Amino acid sequence: MGGTVLKKFSFCILIASIGFVVSGCSSTTNKGKVDSKRHQVASATQVIKSKNEESILVSLKNKSNGKIRYSPMGDSLSQGLFAKNRRSDFVNRFTYRLEKNTGKKVLVSGAYSVGKTATNFGVPSISQVIKQKPDLVTIEFGTNDAVGGTSQMALSQYRSSIVKIITELKSHTHAQLILMSAWCGPTRQQLANNEVKFDQVIQKIGTEYKIPVANLRNIWAKKNNVTGPAGRTYPDFASWGQSDNFHPNQLGHRMIADELFKVVNESPVQK
């Protein structure tokens, strides 16, 4: 399940001009003192299926082919940081749920890389994902995109990149798509504030293109035990250093997988 490997901490993008580092680095805010915007939890885009509509899960189960090809796209969350091991990250836990509920083998490939954005990694990876001939794609960006602030240019670029990914995948694959909102930790006040705007963008895109959005904000903003503890070394992720208080821990990854499974089970198949 290869993602492009970078050599340092996940999300550790040093933005010299604003002196802000996402991941594994000391926070500029006091723990637990998070702006009220962090608690403005946006609802996931509800693409509600009617009684007679087939869900994404049922469509995958009914495939004539005995295998499902799943291509996660994203950053260090999709890479697996910081679950206890690769087998128990959200990608693999979600894969297990799919296999159990469809009776089919799920083949995972995808394109994900630590510290990347929809623009500098997602768009350039489109052709790679198309070649994988996926049946299902999760699109998990926004966290690193939000590091640089919420200027109109930044938000427009994010929207343009996500729309590019969606339209190209829709044109060249038959994949069912799931968008994912951004992730944040409990002590990243400015990033949490920035992500409000980026989450609004992703939800508007979901509504416009009738693609469901897995709302990660409902996990990290409502739970205080889905990140950390910091300072632990997990062999599968040792290349990116020790665990931190930003990335999802084992419980965080389990809850992300649960959210994704809820989406495929409740959302109508995309035509």
Side-chain angles (χ1 to χ4, degrees):
M1 296 172 54
T4 305
V5 177
L6 298 186
K7 293 183 178 179
K8 278 294 176 182
F9 308 123
S10 68
F11 289 124
C12 230
I13 310 171
L14 177 61
I15 307 298
S17 61
I18 61 175
F20 186 85
V21 178
V22 183
S23 161
C25 307
S26 61
S27 172
T28 58
T29 63
N30 295 325
K31 186 173 182 179
K33 188 178 180 181
V34 180
D35 189 275
S36 60
K37 288 185 179 180
R38 174 176 172 264
H39 298 288
Q40 295 174 0
V41 181
S43 298
T45 297
Q46 297 295 317
V47 184
I48 305 297
K49 71 181 185 68
S50 68
K51 184 176 180 180
N52 296 323
E53 280 187 304
E54 187 177 68
S55 69
I56 295 174
L57 182 63
V58 170
S59 73
L60 294 172
K61 184 176 182 178
N62 291 340
K63 279 180 80 275
S64 57
N65 190 314
K67 297 178 181 179
I68 297 169
R69 297 183 183 274
Y70 168 37
S71 296
M73 298 181 71
D75 49 40
S76 55
L77 265 70
S78 296
Q79 185 78 48
L81 278 67
F82 274 109
K84 289 184 178 179
N85 55 62
R86 191 68 174 111
R87 296 185 305 278
S88 60
D89 67 4
F90 86 78
V91 168
N92 281 279
R93 295 182 73 94
F94 179 47
T95 295
Y96 172 76
R97 296 283 298 274
L98 290 174
E99 290 182 334
K100 182 178 180 181
N101 287 273
T102 64
K104 298 182 184 295
K105 177 68 176 177
V106 178
L107 304 178
V108 184
S109 44
Y112 39 82
S113 183
V114 174
K116 294 297 187 179
T117 70
T119 300
N120 67 21
F121 183 78
V123 171
S125 298
I126 292 172
S127 59
Q128 176 184 347
V129 174
I130 289 173
K131 289 176 183 177
Q132 295 167 3
K133 299 180 179 179
D135 300 300
L136 178 66
V137 179
T138 51
I139 302 170
E140 177 263 315
F141 292 104
T143 306
N144 295 296
D145 306 74
V147 170
T150 58
S151 69
Q152 188 57 50
M153 180 179 295
L155 293 170
S156 295
Q157 182 64 70
Y158 178 60
R159 174 184 166 82
S160 176
S161 296
I162 294 294
V163 168
K164 175 74 171 177
I165 293 168
I166 289 171
T167 55
E168 289 294 309
L169 291 179
K170 280 183 168 291
S171 296
H172 300 288
T173 77
H174 61 265
Q176 296 295 300
L177 308 180
I178 301 174
L179 299 171
M180 299 172 69
S181 65
W183 181 268
C184 197
T187 61
R188 301 291 195 256
Q189 178 178 337
Q190 186 58 59
L191 182 60
N193 293 346
N194 291 354
E195 286 180 358
V196 171
K197 296 290 187 181
F198 284 82
D199 285 354
Q200 289 171 352
V201 170
I202 205 73
Q203 292 188 35
K204 288 179 181 177
I205 293 173
T207 300
E208 182 178 347
Y209 288 87
K210 294 181 172 58
I211 298 173
V213 178
N215 192 350
L216 306 192
R217 179 172 287 267
N218 276 342
I219 301 172
W220 63 260
K222 289 186 174 182
K223 303 287 184 180
N224 60 9
N225 59 346
V226 293
T227 63
R232 295 187 177 180
T233 299
Y234 301 118
D236 286 357
F237 307 114
S239 297
W240 295 280
Q242 295 180 317
S243 64
D244 53 38
N245 288 317
F246 181 84
H247 291 89
N249 57 20
Q250 192 62 65
L251 175 60
H253 276 277
R254 180 179 68 78
M255 294 186 71
I256 294 170
D258 289 347
E259 174 68 13
L260 288 172
F261 186 76
K262 179 181 178 182
V263 169
V264 296
N265 192 40
E266 297 180 357
S267 302
V269 64
Q270 299 148 38
K271 305 298 185 181

